[in-house]
């Protein structure tokens, strides 16, 4: 018996090393695997359900934990939120592809080549769903201080009708309105077709309508709601918002919740600006465990 124990005792360190190594590999694989959420109009599904063209993405150099994931229930419906503290280490960026693709594939290779890691993101703006123009953005898509293009034509806020646009750089976010209402072009005096609003913003992306603007509950789009009136057409929601501490909030609500309850929820978060983005089956979120801290 003593000889047996002596023989196999020597194997114990190797066994421990093997187990530790296996645990490390498991953890690394787990942390590198993306978490995905989407909505298929009938039930929440962890598989991304629709290829898209535009995303609001989060990048970080990984040195500081400034991206957080929070989940909860709103009127019995699950919501997921990415909270982002913008800094010299972490930032938001609009990303775009002329050809629709899965959300996670919209991570920008140039930004990653500069040493930043993709931490996650949500579906961005509206786009045409049918015909030859499938994938063409409806409204503004601006990134890295330049309007993007759809097969040679600039994606400025001139498309669509009745949409609000979020302009943001660093920790600064502004919501502005543009659009046609009953045949009349409506918007601020600072609007031009060439540069959009006279705002020094790296990113711009058009949503549907606003919940809160400059700390006040209001919709700046008027009474012409564009292609879909989401106030009465019950669908899942994607919301791009910022609170008084300049913290960005990327919110997906995976089901139908009354807009008044959404507004109260946003107000409880001390929200200063909130824009409803594309929703329904396009409601999607992705994040990387390695760079995102879970809020319990």
């Amino acid at each position: 018996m003593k000889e047996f124990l002596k023989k196999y005792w020597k194997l114990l360190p190797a066994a421990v090393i093997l187990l530790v190594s296996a645990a490390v590999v498991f953890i690394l694989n787990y942390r590198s695997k993306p978490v995905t959420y989407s909505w298929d109009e009938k039930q929440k599904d962890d598989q991304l359900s629709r290829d898209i063209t535009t995303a609001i993405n989060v990048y970080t150099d990984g040195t500081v934990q400034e991206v957080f994931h929070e989940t909860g229930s709103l009127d019995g419906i699950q919501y997921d939120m990415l909270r982002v503290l913008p800094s010299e280490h972490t930032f938001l960026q609009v990303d775009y592809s002329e050809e629709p693709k899965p959300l996670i594939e919209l991570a920008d290779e140039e930004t990653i080549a500069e040493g930043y890691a993709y931490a996650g993101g949500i579906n961005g703006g509206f786009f045409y769903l049918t015909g030859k123009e499938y994938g063409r953005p409806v409204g503004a898509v601006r990134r890295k201080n330049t309007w993007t293009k759809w097969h040679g034509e600039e994606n400025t806020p001139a498309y669509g009708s009745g949409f609000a646009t979020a302009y943001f750089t660093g920790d600064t976010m502004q919501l502005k309105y543009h659009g046609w209402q009953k045949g009349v072009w409506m918007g601020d005096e600072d609007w031009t077709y060439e540069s959009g609003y006279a705002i020094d913003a790296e990113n711009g992306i058009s949503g549907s309508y606003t919940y809160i603007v400059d700390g006040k509950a209001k919709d700046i789009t008027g009474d012409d709601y564009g292609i879909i009136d989401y106030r009465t057409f019950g669908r899942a929601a994607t919301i791009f918002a910022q609170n008084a501490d300049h913290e960005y909030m990327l919110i997906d609500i995976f089901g139908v919740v009354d807009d008044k309850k959404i507004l109260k929820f946003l107000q409880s978060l001390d929200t200063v600006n909130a824009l409803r983005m594309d929703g329904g089956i396009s409601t999607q979120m992705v994040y990387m465990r390695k760079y995102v801290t879970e809020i319990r």
Side-chain angles (χ1 to χ4, degrees):
M1 186 66 177
K2 291 182 178 179
E3 289 298 324
F4 176 83
L5 293 175
K6 184 177 180 180
K7 178 181 179 180
Y8 287 98
W9 181 259
K10 295 179 180 179
L11 298 177
L12 183 59
V16 171
I17 292 173
L18 184 61
L19 288 172
V20 170
S21 299
V24 170
V25 170
F26 175 81
I27 292 172
L28 290 177
N29 287 337
Y30 174 82
R31 288 173 61 81
S32 63
K33 183 179 180 181
V35 178
T36 63
Y37 296 101
S38 69
W39 180 256
D40 67 1
E41 298 287 355
K42 294 182 179 179
Q43 61 183 6
K44 179 176 172 294
D45 188 347
D46 284 346
Q47 300 298 316
L48 300 183
S49 58
R50 170 173 286 179
D51 290 350
I52 58 176
T53 58
T54 314
I56 303 173
N57 282 333
V58 186
Y59 295 90
T60 179
D61 63 14
T63 61
V64 181
Q65 289 291 325
E66 294 176 321
V67 188
F68 305 87
H69 172 252
E70 172 185 328
T71 189
S73 179
L74 180 59
D75 199 27
I77 301 297
Q78 178 179 328
Y79 72 82
D80 284 87
M81 182 191 315
L82 290 178
R83 292 178 173 267
V84 184
L85 298 170
S87 72
E88 60 182 317
H89 305 285
T90 305
F91 60 92
L92 265 61
Q93 176 177 290
V94 171
D95 287 325
Y96 167 73
S97 168
E98 287 191 14
E99 302 300 328
K101 59 179 61 176
L103 173 58
I104 195 169
E105 294 183 16
L106 287 173
D108 182 46
E109 294 181 0
E110 292 182 359
T111 302
I112 293 173
E114 293 172 0
Y116 294 98
Y118 171 73
I122 60 172
N123 173 44
F126 296 88
F127 61 96
Y128 286 92
L129 300 177
T130 59
K132 295 181 180 180
E133 293 191 332
Y134 183 89
R136 179 182 181 179
V138 181
V141 183
R142 181 177 177 84
R143 61 190 304 271
K144 299 182 179 181
N145 291 304
T146 303
W147 297 115
T148 62
K149 293 183 178 181
W150 189 85
H151 299 290
E153 190 169 1
E154 285 188 333
N155 297 317
T156 71
Y159 303 119
S161 62
F163 291 116
T165 301
Y167 292 89
F168 61 98
T169 302
D171 67 351
T172 301
M173 175 181 179
Q174 298 183 61
L175 299 179
K176 296 292 183 178
Y177 172 73
H178 68 276
W180 295 95
Q181 287 193 9
K182 300 176 182 178
V184 179
W185 180 261
M186 304 294 290
D188 289 356
E189 294 178 359
D190 292 334
W191 164 262
T192 67
Y193 276 92
E194 290 75 25
S195 60
Y197 286 96
I199 299 173
D200 183 17
E202 293 182 4
N203 302 277
I205 188 166
S206 291
S208 182
Y209 57 90
T210 60
Y211 290 104
I212 301 173
V213 179
D214 295 332
K216 297 180 180 179
K218 62 179 178 180
D219 177 14
I220 59 175
T221 66
D223 59 1
D224 192 349
Y225 304 133
I227 56 176
I228 297 176
D229 181 1
Y230 280 84
R231 298 162 184 77
T232 59
F233 192 84
R235 308 186 78 179
T238 300
I239 298 167
F240 180 36
Q242 188 178 43
N243 65 21
D245 294 326
H246 298 275
E247 176 186 53
Y248 287 108
M249 297 175 287
L250 312 181
I251 306 169
D252 278 359
I253 302 173
F254 295 100
V256 179
V257 178
D258 183 85
D259 252 4
K260 293 180 180 179
K261 294 181 179 179
I262 293 178
L263 175 59
K264 289 183 179 179
F265 171 63
L266 292 169
Q267 290 173 323
S268 73
L269 299 173
D270 202 17
T271 301
V272 174
N273 288 297
L275 173 64
R276 178 147 181 166
M277 310 301 298
D278 195 3
I281 198 172
S282 297
T283 305
Q284 301 181 34
M285 174 183 290
V286 169
Y287 66 88
M288 307 300 294
R289 292 182 176 93
K290 182 177 181 180
Y291 303 108
V292 177
T293 301
E294 294 288 346
I295 299 177
R296 302 296 183 184

